[in-house]
Amino acid sequence: MDNAPDHPPFFIVGHGRSGTTLVRTMLAAHSCLAVPPETHYLKWIDAFGAKQTESPADFDSFWTELCQRVQFRDLGVDPERVLALADATGGRTFRGIFEAMLGAYAETEHKARAGEKTPGHYFYLDRIFRWWPDARIIVVRRDPRATIASHLKAPWVTQQLAQREPGTPLMQRYRLYHVAHHAKLWERAYGRYLAPTDDPRFHVVSYEDLVAEPAARIAEVASFLGEPFEPGMVERREALGGAAPETRRPEWQGWMREHEERSRAAVSTESLNKWRSALSPREISVIEAICGRTMERFGYTPDNPPLRRVYPGLLGLGALRASGLQRRTRGGVAWLRRRLGLDQPHAS
């Protein structure tokens, strides 16, 4: 790209509830760095053929749907400005539009550089490095027991546990399933996609170290990005734009407001051991059974010896298998109904 920015974008990734928002608020407090709200862009574009091609076949349809997405509206950018930036740099490709979105957001923040924070974008590292070979990846890692305890309080879990989501599969109405599910995601994230590497494009920040020594640890992140540390990154963090609670479902709004308040609070170690009172002994054992080896690799000491994790681990994996079987059965029944024409509307 002839008009590519001087710095490739950086990405803040990790298992959900690991502290990526805290890192975002710190970096966004830097005078040169802009970090927009989560875009979830790299997953969304697969519906428009991003796995097979670099540009949407029907750009008008792609653009219309993109502009209607709540994540795009969260950016607070002018769509016409995004198109203008794309035309001037990367063109109307999947990459060009994404880069233009980040650039337009940086302009609204009056910042020179833009990054992005969607925790699950670690699934798309191959695509990121194909588009930006020199991209920088900031990996945020946290004790899985703490991240899972946090997930259990989030609306995407509580609504299923309360059976308020229409069509919620049976197993997803039980805490054990969600504990095992997020333990598997944590293990996959840090044991596979974000496993330790000598690749200089990666930098790992431990949530536990970050809250214990915020200035020192975020200074290391800034240095990794080629920027000097600024005291305001710790001392003057403010509420960030985007992700307006009132644009979400009513049952999510209270949680989002609390999350926003916590993102502005002073950095503290108070939350480090809250998981001990939030999780039952069995739930702790399930997490340690699934994540134990990777936990120990990163210095997180399991409470239970390996033998005491066997039975809880089998329970957790059994819940995941039961959920998978139910999902396949429901899919098979739906397919059969379509084949038999049972779901076709009746003629009047």
Side-chain angles (χ1 to χ4, degrees):
M1 288 173 29
D2 294 337
N3 296 312
D6 293 335
H7 300 283
F10 57 89
F11 295 84
I12 304 169
V13 299
H15 183 246
R17 316 304 302 146
S18 62
T20 54
T21 296
L22 176 60
V23 173
R24 178 199 174 204
T25 63
M26 289 179 154
L27 292 181
H30 193 283
S31 61
C32 293
L33 305 176
V35 189
E38 297 178 13
T39 66
H40 296 270
Y41 180 84
L42 296 178
K43 177 180 180 180
W44 178 75
I45 60 175
D46 283 348
F48 291 87
K51 290 182 179 179
Q52 294 80 33
T53 181
E54 294 298 317
S55 302
D58 183 348
F59 183 82
D60 290 340
S61 175
F62 162 80
W63 181 247
T64 297
E65 289 199 32
L66 175 63
C67 292
Q68 291 174 348
R69 297 186 78 225
V70 67
Q71 290 87 357
F72 184 88
R73 297 200 303 270
D74 283 342
L75 299 179
V77 298
D78 179 358
E80 293 302 318
R81 179 56 181 161
V82 174
L83 282 180
L85 285 174
D87 289 338
T89 55
R92 297 190 179 188
T93 63
F94 293 120
R95 169 191 167 174
I97 292 296
F98 191 30
E99 196 165 62
M101 288 165 54
L102 300 181
Y105 181 84
E107 285 183 349
T108 66
E109 295 290 303
H110 307 289
K111 303 289 186 72
R113 298 180 61 181
E116 204 270 352
K117 192 278 288 190
T118 298
H121 272 169
Y122 65 79
F123 285 112
Y124 303 95
L125 290 174
D126 288 345
R127 182 177 294 165
I128 288 172
F129 286 132
R130 185 174 74 249
W131 287 355
W132 301 286
D134 295 323
R136 293 295 180 262
I137 310 298
I138 301 164
V139 179
V140 187
R141 191 172 61 217
R142 187 181 185 185
D143 188 318
R145 295 163 295 193
T147 67
I148 293 167
S150 185
H151 273 291
L152 293 174
K153 298 177 182 178
W156 51 84
V157 172
T158 58
Q159 294 302 306
Q160 294 188 55
L161 295 178
Q163 303 182 29
R164 293 174 185 166
E165 290 286 344
T168 298
L170 179 62
M171 288 308 301
Q172 294 180 28
R173 300 177 182 181
Y174 296 94
R175 277 174 61 104
L176 180 63
Y177 164 81
H178 293 282
V179 169
H181 172 67
H182 286 288
K184 287 286 287 185
L185 290 179
W186 189 95
E187 171 63 27
R188 180 169 58 170
Y190 300 109
R192 177 182 171 188
Y193 290 94
L194 301 174
T197 175
D198 293 331
D199 191 325
R201 297 173 296 182
F202 288 81
H203 178 83
V204 178
V205 55
S206 155
Y207 176 84
E208 292 80 8
D209 291 343
L210 180 63
V211 297
E213 299 179 300
R217 299 288 81 80
I218 203 64
E220 292 172 351
V221 177
S223 177
F224 168 69
L225 297 177
E227 301 289 348
F229 169 72
E230 296 177 356
M233 299 173 75
V234 176
E235 299 169 1
R236 293 193 299 274
R237 292 182 300 118
E238 299 177 354
L240 298 176
E246 59 271 15
T247 66
R248 274 29 178 208
R249 292 180 292 178
E251 58 269 26
W252 284 56
Q253 293 178 11
W255 180 87
M256 290 187 67
R257 291 190 180 96
E258 291 180 11
H259 183 57
E260 184 177 297
E261 288 295 324
R262 288 194 298 270
S263 74
R264 294 200 300 261
V267 181
S268 167
T269 60
E270 290 181 1
S271 64
L272 290 183
N273 291 307
K274 285 185 176 180
W275 60 267
R276 292 193 174 278
S277 59
L279 299 172
S280 70
R282 173 171 288 181
E283 290 168 345
I284 292 172
S285 296
V286 169
I287 296 167
E288 293 175 353
I290 296 173
C291 304
R293 290 185 179 179
T294 304
M295 286 175 60
E296 292 175 329
R297 189 179 189 182
F298 299 137
Y300 300 120
T301 304
D303 284 354
N304 301 283
L307 287 178
R308 289 187 61 184
R309 303 178 215 156
V310 174
Y311 177 64
L314 291 175
L315 288 178
L317 294 175
L320 294 179
R321 286 184 175 273
S323 178
L325 177 61
Q326 182 183 15
R327 185 168 57 251
R328 290 190 294 273
T329 300
R330 287 161 63 104
V333 170
W335 175 85
L336 183 60
R337 288 181 64 86
R338 290 193 299 271
R339 292 284 292 180
L340 296 176
L342 298 179
D343 288 335
Q344 298 298 321
H346 297 289
S348 57

